[in-house]
């Protein structure tokens, strides 16, 4: 039986292949015959049509050359005659080698043996007569001799054209007739092949494929998840072997399904226990922002999970920033985690308030389909207290040190001015070094005080709509004298249509001045500093580029940390300028970053939000 099934399948397929070969052979033969007919048209007649047309065009131009003599332009006439004489003879030579139609040879012989030599001889006598013909003689020769000869030649060239065009039309009708015959033959062969293919297909279905429908129905049941079924088909051929394989596969699937269910239940229990055991509150929502689950820590803040289930996150959590972060994570399908003070949420637990860092992450399945979001509230109360104590210590220390440092600096200045008597060279050098150190200490304390005020929001930004051009102009004016001392070139690239930004004019000018001062200190004489602005994604980017020494790769990731100074850089600061700049930019809702390669210069970029049409001063 197995052997017979193979033979039937093979015979059926070979028959279909044979029918396809016959159809393809007939179609190829018809196309080849049609192609030869079309090729014959192009080869036999088109060349002659083109040559005859070229001869007519050349004769027209030669006749025009003869007319130039009557217009007192003999030189132009001779030039045009020589040019188109060669063109005529070239076209005539092509036609003489391509005679294909009855009567065409006589016409060509008449042109080449009689008409053209006479016309050429009379034309050259007319154009090159020595002495030149008088005007009456020239007019008489042109109208009585050359004009009739020209007309005769043109009519014979037209005769060649007509003969070949008529042949092309005839060949075209023949080719169309052959194409129609080929189409009818192709349709007939296709119909015959279709009838034979249907006959063999129906016979194959009846003889060997009918049992497969039963096999397919039972296989669909297995595919639908009904793994407890078996396929009972007692056959010794390939179909019977297929049924046995299906039964074995179903048994394997049942066992795998049982193990997978057990594994998933265990993983679900472990996931639930891990979620419940977390110290930090966790809120799980669906893809519409409704609460699905709260862990035990979250229940301590927001109440029982059963009461919160199905409600919007904003109705469960008192702080609207949590609901906004969940909505943003679901809508944008990316992690929602703010930076700076906006990342912290303060919630009450009984009579105490605790600080949490909010982070919302979208959940996706294996097919990247959005399932919902997970909001994690990391308890950072103790870290916030430590940070507050540190900030207060820095603020108090800087404030308390400012008075003695100012007093010492005043004393040093008095010594330099000779208030305690004249100083020798060595004493002056020591006093000068003390003054520089005290000034640097004073700048560091001032920066520390500014940094603590900014981080504690003691001096919040005073927002207004500011054109970027004004910010850049104010900053470059502040460092222009330093650039002139270092022989540095400054270039600006600020588009005229750049929109205004929402910013504190003084604070952002300070950021730009800091970046430009750093660029001046780290760029050798003769270098270039460039300030650019551009609009990207509802923000304006400010770029400060220099051709200086660059920043080592190891220091680039922490260049905005406090007290970080690049080794080998020009001294003069405490390493707080970039940290202050970062704090200011973050308070404006922007971001700042640095790009650099040693020896290739540096690029500092920060962004500010574009001012809305209704925004003004705050």
């Amino acid at each position: 039986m197995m052997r017979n099934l193979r033979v039937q399948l093979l015979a059926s397929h070979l028959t279909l292949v044979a029918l396809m070969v016959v159809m393809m052979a007939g179609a190829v033969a018809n196309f080849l015959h049609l192609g030869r007919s079309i090729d014959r048209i192009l080869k036999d007649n088109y060349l002659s049509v083109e040559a005859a047309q070229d001869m007519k065009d050349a004769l027209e131009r030669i006749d025009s050359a003869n007319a130039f003599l009557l217009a007192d332009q003999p030189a132009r006439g001779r030039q045009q005659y020589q040019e188109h004489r060669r063109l005529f003879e070239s076209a005539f030579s092509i036609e003489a080698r391509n005679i294909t139609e009855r009567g065409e040879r006589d016409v060509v012989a008449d042109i080449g043996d009689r008409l053209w030599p006479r016309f050429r001889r009379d034309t050259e006598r007319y154009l090159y007569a020595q002495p030149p013909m008088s005007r009456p003689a020239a007019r008489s020769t042109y109208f009585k001799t050359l004009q009739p000869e020209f007309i005769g030649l043109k009519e014979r060239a037209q005769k060649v054209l007509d003969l070949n065009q008529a042949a092309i039309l005839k060949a075209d009708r023949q080719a169309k007739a052959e194409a129609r015959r080929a189409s009818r033959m192709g349709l007939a062969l296709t119909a015959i092949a279709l009838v034979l293919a249907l006959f063999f297909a129906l016979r194959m279905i009846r003889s060997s494929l009918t049992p497969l429908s039963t096999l397919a129905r039972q296989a669909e049941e297995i595919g639908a998840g009904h793994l407890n079924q078996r396929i009972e088909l007692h056959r010794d051929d390939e179909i019977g072997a297929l049924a046995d394989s299906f039964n074995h596969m179903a048994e394997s699937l049942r066992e795998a399904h049982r193990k997978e269910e057990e594994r998933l239940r265990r993983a679900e229990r472990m996931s639930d226990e891990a979620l419940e055991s977390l110290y930090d509150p966790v809120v799980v929502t669906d893809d519409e922002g409704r609460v699905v689950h709260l862990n035990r820590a979250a229940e301590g803040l927001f109440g029982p999970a059963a009461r919160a289930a199905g409600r919007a996150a904003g109705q469960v959590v008192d702080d609207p920033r949590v609901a906004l972060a969940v909505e943003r994570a679901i809508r944008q399908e990316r992690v929602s985690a703010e930076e700076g003070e906006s990342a912290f949420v303060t919630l009450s637990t009984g009579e105490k308030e605790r600080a949490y860092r909010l982070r919302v992450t979208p959940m996706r399945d294996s097919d990247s389909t959005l399932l919902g979001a997970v909001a994690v509230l990391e308890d950072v109360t103790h870290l916030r207290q430590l940070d507050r104590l540190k900030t207060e210590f820095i603020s108090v220390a800087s404030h308390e040190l400012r008075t003695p440092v100012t007093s010492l600096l005043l004393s040093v200045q008095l010594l330099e001015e000779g208030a305690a008597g004249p100083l020798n060279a060595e004493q002056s050098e020591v006093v000068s070094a003390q003054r520089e150190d005290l000034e640097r200490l004073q700048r560091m304390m001032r920066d520390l005080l500014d940094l603590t005020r900014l981080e504690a929001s003691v001096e919040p930004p005073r927002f207004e709509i500011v054109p970027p051009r004004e910010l850049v102009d104010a900053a470059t004016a502040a460092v222009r004298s330093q650039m002139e001392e270092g022989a540095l070139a400054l270039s600006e690239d600020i588009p005229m249509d750049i929109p205004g930004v929402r910013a504190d004019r003084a604070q952002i000018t300070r950021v730009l001045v800091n970046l430009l001062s750093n660029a001046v200190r780290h760029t050798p004489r003769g270098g270039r500093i460039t300030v650019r602005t551009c609009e990207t994604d509802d923000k304006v980017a400010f770029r400060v580029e220099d051709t200086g020494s660059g920043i080592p790769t190891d220091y680039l990731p922490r260049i905005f940390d406090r007290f970080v100074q690049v080794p080998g850089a020009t001294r003069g600061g405490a390493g707080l300028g970039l940290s202050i700049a970062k704090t200011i930019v973050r308070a404006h809702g922007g971001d700042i970053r640095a790009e650099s390669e040693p020896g290739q210069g540096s690029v500092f970029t920060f962004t500010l939000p574009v001012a809305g049409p209704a925004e003004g001063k705050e």
Side-chain angles (χ1 to χ4, degrees), residues 75-87:
R76 184 176 177 184
R78 294 184 192 110
Q79 179 183 358
Q80 183 164 310
Y81 165 72
Q82 292 297 335
E83 179 182 349
H84 289 87
R85 175 185 63 80
R86 289 190 294 270
L87 292 177

mmCIF file with all atom_site columns, all heavy atoms in Angstrom, residues 75-87:
data_model
loop_
_atom_site.group_PDB
_atom_site.id
_atom_site.type_symbol
_atom_site.label_atom_id
_atom_site.label_alt_id
_atom_site.label_comp_id
_atom_site.label_asym_id
_atom_site.label_entity_id
_atom_site.label_seq_id
_atom_site.pdbx_PDB_ins_code
_atom_site.Cartn_x
_atom_site.Cartn_y
_atom_site.Cartn_z
_atom_site.occupancy
_atom_site.B_iso_or_equiv
_atom_site.pdbx_formal_charge
_atom_site.auth_seq_id
_atom_site.auth_comp_id
_atom_site.auth_asym_id
_atom_site.auth_atom_id
_atom_site.pdbx_PDB_model_num
ATOM 1   N N   . ALA A 1 75 ? 28.898 81.858 -48.946 1.00 0.00 ? 75 ALA A N   1
ATOM 2   C CA  . ALA A 1 75 ? 29.754 81.068 -48.048 1.00 0.00 ? 75 ALA A CA  1
ATOM 3   C C   . ALA A 1 75 ? 28.912 80.164 -47.158 1.00 0.00 ? 75 ALA A C   1
ATOM 4   O O   . ALA A 1 75 ? 29.218 78.984 -46.957 1.00 0.00 ? 75 ALA A O   1
ATOM 5   C CB  . ALA A 1 75 ? 30.613 82.007 -47.200 1.00 0.00 ? 75 ALA A CB  1
ATOM 6   N N   . ARG A 1 76 ? 27.854 80.718 -46.661 1.00 0.00 ? 76 ARG A N   1
ATOM 7   C CA  . ARG A 1 76 ? 26.976 79.904 -45.797 1.00 0.00 ? 76 ARG A CA  1
ATOM 8   C C   . ARG A 1 76 ? 26.323 78.786 -46.595 1.00 0.00 ? 76 ARG A C   1
ATOM 9   O O   . ARG A 1 76 ? 26.163 77.655 -46.115 1.00 0.00 ? 76 ARG A O   1
ATOM 10  C CB  . ARG A 1 76 ? 25.907 80.805 -45.182 1.00 0.00 ? 76 ARG A CB  1
ATOM 11  C CG  . ARG A 1 76 ? 25.006 80.082 -44.211 1.00 0.00 ? 76 ARG A CG  1
ATOM 12  C CD  . ARG A 1 76 ? 24.040 81.045 -43.558 1.00 0.00 ? 76 ARG A CD  1
ATOM 13  N NE  . ARG A 1 76 ? 23.124 80.348 -42.668 1.00 0.00 ? 76 ARG A NE  1
ATOM 14  C CZ  . ARG A 1 76 ? 22.114 80.932 -42.015 1.00 0.00 ? 76 ARG A CZ  1
ATOM 15  N NH1 . ARG A 1 76 ? 21.907 82.256 -42.164 1.00 0.00 ? 76 ARG A NH1 1
ATOM 16  N NH2 . ARG A 1 76 ? 21.314 80.215 -41.238 1.00 0.00 ? 76 ARG A NH2 1
ATOM 17  N N   . GLY A 1 77 ? 25.935 79.085 -47.843 1.00 0.00 ? 77 GLY A N   1
ATOM 18  C CA  . GLY A 1 77 ? 25.328 78.059 -48.687 1.00 0.00 ? 77 GLY A CA  1
ATOM 19  C C   . GLY A 1 77 ? 26.301 76.925 -48.982 1.00 0.00 ? 77 GLY A C   1
ATOM 20  O O   . GLY A 1 77 ? 25.932 75.741 -48.943 1.00 0.00 ? 77 GLY A O   1
ATOM 21  N N   . ARG A 1 78 ? 27.578 77.275 -49.296 1.00 0.00 ? 78 ARG A N   1
ATOM 22  C CA  . ARG A 1 78 ? 28.557 76.220 -49.603 1.00 0.00 ? 78 ARG A CA  1
ATOM 23  C C   . ARG A 1 78 ? 28.793 75.333 -48.367 1.00 0.00 ? 78 ARG A C   1
ATOM 24  O O   . ARG A 1 78 ? 28.912 74.113 -48.470 1.00 0.00 ? 78 ARG A O   1
ATOM 25  C CB  . ARG A 1 78 ? 29.870 76.860 -50.061 1.00 0.00 ? 78 ARG A CB  1
ATOM 26  C CG  . ARG A 1 78 ? 29.755 77.596 -51.385 1.00 0.00 ? 78 ARG A CG  1
ATOM 27  C CD  . ARG A 1 78 ? 31.104 78.130 -51.846 1.00 0.00 ? 78 ARG A CD  1
ATOM 28  N NE  . ARG A 1 78 ? 30.968 79.060 -52.963 1.00 0.00 ? 78 ARG A NE  1
ATOM 29  C CZ  . ARG A 1 78 ? 31.190 80.358 -52.897 1.00 0.00 ? 78 ARG A CZ  1
ATOM 30  N NH1 . ARG A 1 78 ? 31.589 80.911 -51.762 1.00 0.00 ? 78 ARG A NH1 1
ATOM 31  N NH2 . ARG A 1 78 ? 31.031 81.117 -53.969 1.00 0.00 ? 78 ARG A NH2 1
ATOM 32  N N   . GLN A 1 79 ? 28.900 75.987 -47.197 1.00 0.00 ? 79 GLN A N   1
ATOM 33  C CA  . GLN A 1 79 ? 29.142 75.197 -45.962 1.00 0.00 ? 79 GLN A CA  1
ATOM 34  C C   . GLN A 1 79 ? 27.992 74.232 -45.706 1.00 0.00 ? 79 GLN A C   1
ATOM 35  O O   . GLN A 1 79 ? 28.202 73.058 -45.392 1.00 0.00 ? 79 GLN A O   1
ATOM 36  C CB  . GLN A 1 79 ? 29.306 76.145 -44.771 1.00 0.00 ? 79 GLN A CB  1
ATOM 37  C CG  . GLN A 1 79 ? 29.545 75.410 -43.446 1.00 0.00 ? 79 GLN A CG  1
ATOM 38  C CD  . GLN A 1 79 ? 29.635 76.368 -42.272 1.00 0.00 ? 79 GLN A CD  1
ATOM 39  O OE1 . GLN A 1 79 ? 29.552 77.575 -42.457 1.00 0.00 ? 79 GLN A OE1 1
ATOM 40  N NE2 . GLN A 1 79 ? 29.822 75.828 -41.092 1.00 0.00 ? 79 GLN A NE2 1
ATOM 41  N N   . GLN A 1 80 ? 26.762 74.731 -45.851 1.00 0.00 ? 80 GLN A N   1
ATOM 42  C CA  . GLN A 1 80 ? 25.600 73.861 -45.581 1.00 0.00 ? 80 GLN A CA  1
ATOM 43  C C   . GLN A 1 80 ? 25.520 72.767 -46.639 1.00 0.00 ? 80 GLN A C   1
ATOM 44  O O   . GLN A 1 80 ? 25.151 71.623 -46.330 1.00 0.00 ? 80 GLN A O   1
ATOM 45  C CB  . GLN A 1 80 ? 24.325 74.709 -45.564 1.00 0.00 ? 80 GLN A CB  1
ATOM 46  C CG  . GLN A 1 80 ? 23.078 73.903 -45.211 1.00 0.00 ? 80 GLN A CG  1
ATOM 47  C CD  . GLN A 1 80 ? 21.918 74.788 -44.831 1.00 0.00 ? 80 GLN A CD  1
ATOM 48  O OE1 . GLN A 1 80 ? 22.058 75.668 -44.003 1.00 0.00 ? 80 GLN A OE1 1
ATOM 49  N NE2 . GLN A 1 80 ? 20.772 74.551 -45.456 1.00 0.00 ? 80 GLN A NE2 1
ATOM 50  N N   . TYR A 1 81 ? 25.864 73.074 -47.856 1.00 0.00 ? 81 TYR A N   1
ATOM 51  C CA  . TYR A 1 81 ? 25.811 72.063 -48.913 1.00 0.00 ? 81 TYR A CA  1
ATOM 52  C C   . TYR A 1 81 ? 26.796 70.938 -48.628 1.00 0.00 ? 81 TYR A C   1
ATOM 53  O O   . TYR A 1 81 ? 26.442 69.739 -48.716 1.00 0.00 ? 81 TYR A O   1
ATOM 54  C CB  . TYR A 1 81 ? 26.138 72.708 -50.262 1.00 0.00 ? 81 TYR A CB  1
ATOM 55  C CG  . TYR A 1 81 ? 26.468 71.678 -51.339 1.00 0.00 ? 81 TYR A CG  1
ATOM 56  C CD1 . TYR A 1 81 ? 25.471 70.867 -51.886 1.00 0.00 ? 81 TYR A CD1 1
ATOM 57  C CD2 . TYR A 1 81 ? 27.790 71.501 -51.765 1.00 0.00 ? 81 TYR A CD2 1
ATOM 58  C CE1 . TYR A 1 81 ? 25.797 69.916 -52.843 1.00 0.00 ? 81 TYR A CE1 1
ATOM 59  C CE2 . TYR A 1 81 ? 28.116 70.557 -52.715 1.00 0.00 ? 81 TYR A CE2 1
ATOM 60  C CZ  . TYR A 1 81 ? 27.112 69.758 -53.254 1.00 0.00 ? 81 TYR A CZ  1
ATOM 61  O OH  . TYR A 1 81 ? 27.430 68.802 -54.171 1.00 0.00 ? 81 TYR A OH  1
ATOM 62  N N   . GLN A 1 82 ? 28.039 71.278 -48.288 1.00 0.00 ? 82 GLN A N   1
ATOM 63  C CA  . GLN A 1 82 ? 29.041 70.240 -48.024 1.00 0.00 ? 82 GLN A CA  1
ATOM 64  C C   . GLN A 1 82 ? 28.627 69.338 -46.856 1.00 0.00 ? 82 GLN A C   1
ATOM 65  O O   . GLN A 1 82 ? 28.799 68.118 -46.889 1.00 0.00 ? 82 GLN A O   1
ATOM 66  C CB  . GLN A 1 82 ? 30.404 70.890 -47.726 1.00 0.00 ? 82 GLN A CB  1
ATOM 67  C CG  . GLN A 1 82 ? 31.041 71.582 -48.919 1.00 0.00 ? 82 GLN A CG  1
ATOM 68  C CD  . GLN A 1 82 ? 31.365 70.601 -50.045 1.00 0.00 ? 82 GLN A CD  1
ATOM 69  O OE1 . GLN A 1 82 ? 31.548 69.408 -49.816 1.00 0.00 ? 82 GLN A OE1 1
ATOM 70  N NE2 . GLN A 1 82 ? 31.414 71.110 -51.291 1.00 0.00 ? 82 GLN A NE2 1
ATOM 71  N N   . GLU A 1 83 ? 28.089 69.943 -45.849 1.00 0.00 ? 83 GLU A N   1
ATOM 72  C CA  . GLU A 1 83 ? 27.687 69.167 -44.661 1.00 0.00 ? 83 GLU A CA  1
ATOM 73  C C   . GLU A 1 83 ? 26.575 68.184 -45.004 1.00 0.00 ? 83 GLU A C   1
ATOM 74  O O   . GLU A 1 83 ? 26.636 66.998 -44.661 1.00 0.00 ? 83 GLU A O   1
ATOM 75  C CB  . GLU A 1 83 ? 27.232 70.137 -43.561 1.00 0.00 ? 83 GLU A CB  1
ATOM 76  C CG  . GLU A 1 83 ? 26.776 69.423 -42.283 1.00 0.00 ? 83 GLU A CG  1
ATOM 77  C CD  . GLU A 1 83 ? 26.295 70.403 -41.236 1.00 0.00 ? 83 GLU A CD  1
ATOM 78  O OE1 . GLU A 1 83 ? 26.526 71.627 -41.429 1.00 0.00 ? 83 GLU A OE1 1
ATOM 79  O OE2 . GLU A 1 83 ? 25.705 69.957 -40.241 1.00 0.00 ? 83 GLU A OE2 1
ATOM 80  N N   . HIS A 1 84 ? 25.540 68.626 -45.704 1.00 0.00 ? 84 HIS A N   1
ATOM 81  C CA  . HIS A 1 84 ? 24.383 67.766 -45.948 1.00 0.00 ? 84 HIS A CA  1
ATOM 82  C C   . HIS A 1 84 ? 24.567 66.897 -47.197 1.00 0.00 ? 84 HIS A C   1
ATOM 83  O O   . HIS A 1 84 ? 23.827 65.922 -47.375 1.00 0.00 ? 84 HIS A O   1
ATOM 84  C CB  . HIS A 1 84 ? 23.118 68.616 -46.045 1.00 0.00 ? 84 HIS A CB  1
ATOM 85  C CG  . HIS A 1 84 ? 22.724 69.186 -44.718 1.00 0.00 ? 84 HIS A CG  1
ATOM 86  N ND1 . HIS A 1 84 ? 23.225 70.380 -44.232 1.00 0.00 ? 84 HIS A ND1 1
ATOM 87  C CD2 . HIS A 1 84 ? 21.916 68.704 -43.743 1.00 0.00 ? 84 HIS A CD2 1
ATOM 88  C CE1 . HIS A 1 84 ? 22.732 70.624 -43.045 1.00 0.00 ? 84 HIS A CE1 1
ATOM 89  N NE2 . HIS A 1 84 ? 21.928 69.612 -42.699 1.00 0.00 ? 84 HIS A NE2 1
ATOM 90  N N   . ARG A 1 85 ? 25.535 67.235 -48.047 1.00 0.00 ? 85 ARG A N   1
ATOM 91  C CA  . ARG A 1 85 ? 25.872 66.305 -49.130 1.00 0.00 ? 85 ARG A CA  1
ATOM 92  C C   . ARG A 1 85 ? 26.391 64.992 -48.552 1.00 0.00 ? 85 ARG A C   1
ATOM 93  O O   . ARG A 1 85 ? 26.000 63.897 -48.969 1.00 0.00 ? 85 ARG A O   1
ATOM 94  C CB  . ARG A 1 85 ? 26.927 66.943 -50.046 1.00 0.00 ? 85 ARG A CB  1
ATOM 95  C CG  . ARG A 1 85 ? 27.426 65.984 -51.133 1.00 0.00 ? 85 ARG A CG  1
ATOM 96  C CD  . ARG A 1 85 ? 28.549 66.619 -51.943 1.00 0.00 ? 85 ARG A CD  1
ATOM 97  N NE  . ARG A 1 85 ? 29.724 66.912 -51.125 1.00 0.00 ? 85 ARG A NE  1
ATOM 98  C CZ  . ARG A 1 85 ? 30.614 65.991 -50.779 1.00 0.00 ? 85 ARG A CZ  1
ATOM 99  N NH1 . ARG A 1 85 ? 30.493 64.732 -51.145 1.00 0.00 ? 85 ARG A NH1 1
ATOM 100 N NH2 . ARG A 1 85 ? 31.659 66.335 -50.047 1.00 0.00 ? 85 ARG A NH2 1
ATOM 101 N N   . ARG A 1 86 ? 27.284 65.121 -47.542 1.00 0.00 ? 86 ARG A N   1
ATOM 102 C CA  . ARG A 1 86 ? 27.818 63.914 -46.905 1.00 0.00 ? 86 ARG A CA  1
ATOM 103 C C   . ARG A 1 86 ? 26.711 63.127 -46.184 1.00 0.00 ? 86 ARG A C   1
ATOM 104 O O   . ARG A 1 86 ? 26.685 61.890 -46.223 1.00 0.00 ? 86 ARG A O   1
ATOM 105 C CB  . ARG A 1 86 ? 28.922 64.289 -45.935 1.00 0.00 ? 86 ARG A CB  1
ATOM 106 C CG  . ARG A 1 86 ? 30.195 64.759 -46.620 1.00 0.00 ? 86 ARG A CG  1
ATOM 107 C CD  . ARG A 1 86 ? 31.340 64.887 -45.629 1.00 0.00 ? 86 ARG A CD  1
ATOM 108 N NE  . ARG A 1 86 ? 31.110 65.945 -44.652 1.00 0.00 ? 86 ARG A NE  1
ATOM 109 C CZ  . ARG A 1 86 ? 31.492 67.207 -44.834 1.00 0.00 ? 86 ARG A CZ  1
ATOM 110 N NH1 . ARG A 1 86 ? 32.108 67.583 -45.956 1.00 0.00 ? 86 ARG A NH1 1
ATOM 111 N NH2 . ARG A 1 86 ? 31.257 68.107 -43.893 1.00 0.00 ? 86 ARG A NH2 1
ATOM 112 N N   . LEU A 1 87 ? 25.806 63.846 -45.565 1.00 0.00 ? 87 LEU A N   1
ATOM 113 C CA  . LEU A 1 87 ? 24.708 63.163 -44.867 1.00 0.00 ? 87 LEU A CA  1
ATOM 114 C C   . LEU A 1 87 ? 23.815 62.417 -45.858 1.00 0.00 ? 87 LEU A C   1
ATOM 115 O O   . LEU A 1 87 ? 23.384 61.286 -45.603 1.00 0.00 ? 87 LEU A O   1
ATOM 116 C CB  . LEU A 1 87 ? 23.880 64.168 -44.071 1.00 0.00 ? 87 LEU A CB  1
ATOM 117 C CG  . LEU A 1 87 ? 24.573 64.820 -42.878 1.00 0.00 ? 87 LEU A CG  1
ATOM 118 C CD1 . LEU A 1 87 ? 23.655 65.852 -42.223 1.00 0.00 ? 87 LEU A CD1 1
ATOM 119 C CD2 . LEU A 1 87 ? 24.981 63.767 -41.858 1.00 0.00 ? 87 LEU A CD2 1
#
